[in-house]
Amino acid sequence: MSMTVLERLGLDRHPRVVTGQGVKHGVAGQVVVTNPATGRPIAAVILDDERTRESVVAESCEAFRAWREVPAPARGQVVRAIGDEFRRHKEALGELISLEVGKIRQEGLGEVQETIDIADYAVGLSRTLSGPVLQSERPRHRLYEQWLPLGPIGVISAFNFPNAVWAWNAMIAAVCGDVVIWKPSLLAPLTAIASNAIAERVSAEMGHPGVFRLLIGTDTQIAESLVEDRRLPLISATGSCRMGRRVGEVVARRLGRSLLELGGNNAVIVHSDADLDLAARSILFGAVGTAGQRCTTTRRLIAHESVAAEITRRLAEAYGKVAIGDPLNEGTLVGPLITPAAVETFLAAIRRARDEGGEVVAGGERASGLPTEIAGGNFVRPAIVRAPSSNRLPIALEETFAPILYVFTYRTLDEALAMHNGVDQGLASGIFTDSLAASETFLSVTGSGSDCGLAYVNLGTSGAEIGGAFGGEKDTGGGRESGSDSWKAYMRRQTVAVNHGKQLALAQGIRFGE
Ligand code: NAD
């Protein structure tokens, strides 16, 4: 008999994972993990309590003191070995992600690839972390900036990227000299246990235990007290705007740092001269990929009046053919939503859109007629909703974490940009056009174009590369992770001045008691 994915990853023998007959609902101190494609339990996970939280934080402070002494390039070698181990476990971890959160196989594998890529990136970074040498105004003085490890950092992750969001933070933080305490979503603790075990085992085998720790528990018992803990100088939190408001407030109150990666309400503008083939294919991936459960999912299509009917027709046709089903079957493009509650939220949004004058032109209901093995899953048919001619559709101003694409029509680019920027969030954005003037207007350096952290031309909103800084503005929280200079969030800056002469020279030419 072939091994199950839990067996391949050693989760069946893990002390905090309960499998088989032992899995029961309602057991105090445990959470049951359910396969969203079948509605059946996969395993139960034993939760941490206040006592384990306290010991994990205390041990992490201790581990930090040792880890920061390791030269950054040597820290990079540990991350390199972790990346290699993720390469070895890519298939199994990708499958576990599909099982636990319902991503299709390609996207589960893609998520693990992101972890491998960010590990590679961090290895390079480990030799290039640097600060500038500045020109001092004082004779025989050297002035420069150096970047120092920050401390144990808390990482809170959302269900929809159960592996890569942690890796974006943890691989970079590790080369920066920080240790990481990860609090994953209770909807995806198995991927977290498997991923963290790989990193912690490799690091410990190389002589550095305690760099990667995991705390799994409820928001009230575990997450909120982590956020309040002054021993954690940085809390990096990914999730809804609601969560970010709370975390941002609590961390600010203790004057800590937060890195917030929150919800999006991403739009694509399709201009009159757009390549409609390219636009339709990109929007399809952006809007229905990951069953609409990405922070970067395309939620609004703002189309020029001359092409709106045609692009909507092409999309509706493509939606009609999209294969919905078991995420592990090759050929499936849309898997389940994460929970039955997410299905209800989807259906409620569709009802509200209709009440507000929206016209459903594709999908918008539970998916029926699926094979019996997945009849208990949380499947819906991705929806396209055309806004009324007034373009007034208040539901579209909210992020519903499900596959609903709202279509608006415009006459002038200014009108399109006003609609585009007229939501609270500011994560990912795109324009399809062959016009230099239109794309430059969208990307204007005055800031009058897209107000998002990510702005793309002739690309959909989903599928960022790791090399650029990732994050969004406004209610998306302003944080930046992944590439570019995002590493600076995980370090503290020290400005250094060294007087190598024999005179006391004061800045600003001040003479004091001479
Ligand atoms: P969520 O806000 O419900 O939960 C996210 C995480 O925050 C979980 O680990 C949860 O346990 C924790 N949490 C919740 N309340 C908390 C509190 N008071 N204190 C501390 N921790 C708390 O989000 P979700 O449903 O898991 O994920 C979907 C949301 O995440 C969407 O809004 C999506 O756009 C967003 N998201 C954003 C990004 C990004 O990079 N911007 C990436 C992925 C997901």
Side-chain angles (χ1 to χ4, degrees):
M1 205 175 81
S2 64
M3 284 169 87
T4 67
V5 69
L6 298 193
E7 287 163 355
R8 276 151 63 204
L9 290 163
L11 288 173
D12 58 323
R13 302 181 304 278
H14 196 282
R16 66 186 305 166
V17 179
V18 181
T19 54
Q21 301 298 323
V23 182
K24 292 192 178 63
H25 284 275
V27 178
Q30 290 187 15
V31 65
V32 174
V33 185
T34 304
N35 179 345
T38 62
R40 285 196 285 274
I42 307 169
V45 167
I46 298 169
L47 301 179
D48 287 300
D49 57 17
E50 279 101 344
R51 208 169 40 81
T52 47
R53 175 185 51 73
E54 177 48 38
S55 60
V56 166
V57 175
E59 286 159 22
S60 294
C61 292
E62 212 39 52
F64 169 64
R65 283 190 275 278
W67 182 238
R68 70 180 173 189
E69 297 297 332
V70 177
R75 300 195 290 251
Q77 290 309 305
V78 175
V79 169
R80 174 203 290 267
I82 292 171
D84 284 346
E85 203 57 12
F86 275 101
R87 278 185 176 85
R88 275 192 278 281
H89 290 92
K90 180 174 167 181
E91 289 287 327
L93 269 174
E95 193 175 323
L96 179 62
I97 292 170
S98 297
L99 208 63
E100 196 171 31
V101 302
K103 279 190 188 188
I104 62 169
R105 192 185 282 277
Q106 278 301 313
E107 290 185 323
L109 292 172
E111 178 162 356
V112 186
Q113 187 59 45
E114 248 182 81
T115 292
I116 294 164
D117 292 345
I118 201 74
D120 284 353
Y121 185 90
V123 176
L125 190 64
S126 71
R127 289 190 182 268
T128 58
L129 299 167
S130 60
V133 178
L134 304 144
Q135 298 301 319
S136 172
E137 66 187 52
R138 292 172 284 181
R140 295 183 184 276
H141 277 61
R142 175 189 283 279
L143 185 64
Y144 65 96
E145 287 179 0
Q146 58 177 354
W147 290 87
L148 314 172
L150 191 59
I153 69 159
V155 173
I156 294 173
S157 59
F159 81 82
N160 66 327
F161 274 90
N163 168 266
V165 161
W166 159 77
W168 280 16
N169 285 279
M171 298 302 119
I172 304 284
V175 297
C176 290
D178 302 334
V179 303
V180 176
I181 302 173
W182 178 15
K183 206 302 290 171
S185 164
L186 280 189
L187 294 168
L190 293 171
T191 305
I193 293 171
S195 306
N196 201 77
I198 290 173
E200 179 54 20
R201 179 172 47 72
V202 170
S203 181
E205 281 170 6
M206 293 175 79
H208 309 290
V211 177
F212 303 96
R213 298 300 297 266
L214 189 60
L215 276 177
I216 304 176
T218 61
D219 292 339
T220 42
Q221 246 187 333
I222 298 296
E224 295 203 351
S225 33
L226 263 192
V227 171
E228 278 171 11
D229 199 318
R230 293 179 64 86
R231 291 170 292 182
L232 307 182
L234 170 69
I235 299 290
S236 173
T238 300
S240 58
C241 298
R242 177 194 56 74
M243 177 279 287
R245 273 193 195 91
R246 173 85 189 131
V247 168
E249 188 187 321
V250 174
V251 178
R253 211 181 302 133
R254 64 172 171 90
L255 302 180
R257 279 195 214 169
S258 53
L259 194 170
L260 301 176
E261 297 283 358
L262 311 176
N265 189 348
N266 317 294
V268 162
I269 296 175
V270 177
H271 202 41
S272 48
D273 54 7
D275 175 335
L276 293 190
D277 264 348
L278 184 64
R281 282 169 44 216
S282 309
I283 294 167
L284 181 70
F285 173 65
V288 310
T290 329
Q293 299 170 111
R294 282 199 193 204
C295 52
T296 53
T297 291
T298 309
R299 306 204 179 277
R300 295 175 299 137
L301 163 59
I302 303 169
H304 188 265
E305 59 179 2
S306 61
V307 295
E310 178 59 14
I311 186 85
T312 311
R313 187 193 64 75
R314 290 188 192 198
L315 282 168
E317 195 180 305
Y319 270 51
K321 295 183 188 146
V322 145
I324 302 169
D326 185 339
L328 284 167
N329 282 353
E330 289 300 340
T332 298
L333 290 184
V334 177
L337 296 185
I338 186 70
T339 55
V343 173
E344 293 307 323
T345 305
F346 168 85
L347 296 172
I350 297 291
R351 278 196 300 276
R352 205 177 125 194
R354 281 202 170 99
D355 290 348
E356 291 174 356
E359 180 198 353
V360 178
V361 295
E365 67 270 313
R366 278 178 210 276
S368 53
L370 297 170
T372 43
E373 319 85 80
I374 56 167
N378 313 316
F379 294 93
V380 299
R381 293 202 178 280
I384 301 176
V385 177
R386 195 173 2 230
S389 55
S390 64
N391 275 332
R392 220 189 99 71
L393 192 66
I395 182 73
L397 303 178
E398 295 173 18
E399 182 198 44
T400 301
F401 214 54
I404 308 175
L405 180 69
Y406 300 106
V407 183
F408 300 87
T409 308
Y410 71 91
R411 286 210 172 97
T412 67
L413 199 51
D414 282 350
E415 211 185 312
L417 274 171
M419 265 192 266
H420 178 278
N421 294 342
V423 293
D424 291 337
Q425 305 85 345
L427 182 53
S429 61
I431 187 168
F432 282 83
T433 180
D434 282 342
S435 148
L436 183 68
S439 83
E440 286 297 309
T441 303
F442 185 71
L443 302 172
S444 171
V445 289
T446 65
S448 58
S450 162
D451 63 359
C452 292
L454 309 167
Y456 303 135
V457 175
N458 291 331
L459 287 172
T461 55
S462 257
E465 289 185 33
I466 60 131
F470 179 92
E473 302 300 329
K474 304 196 288 183
D475 286 8
T476 302
R480 290 296 185 277
E481 282 175 358
S482 194
S484 186
D485 65 351
S486 307
W487 58 270
K488 291 180 176 171
Y490 305 89
M491 301 196 87
R492 66 186 168 89
R493 183 199 315 241
Q494 191 168 62
T495 302
V496 181
V498 178
N499 177 3
H500 51 91
K502 290 291 175 201
Q503 305 298 321
L504 172 65
L506 296 174
Q508 292 84 45
I510 290 174
R511 299 168 70 145
F512 192 74
E514 287 173 24

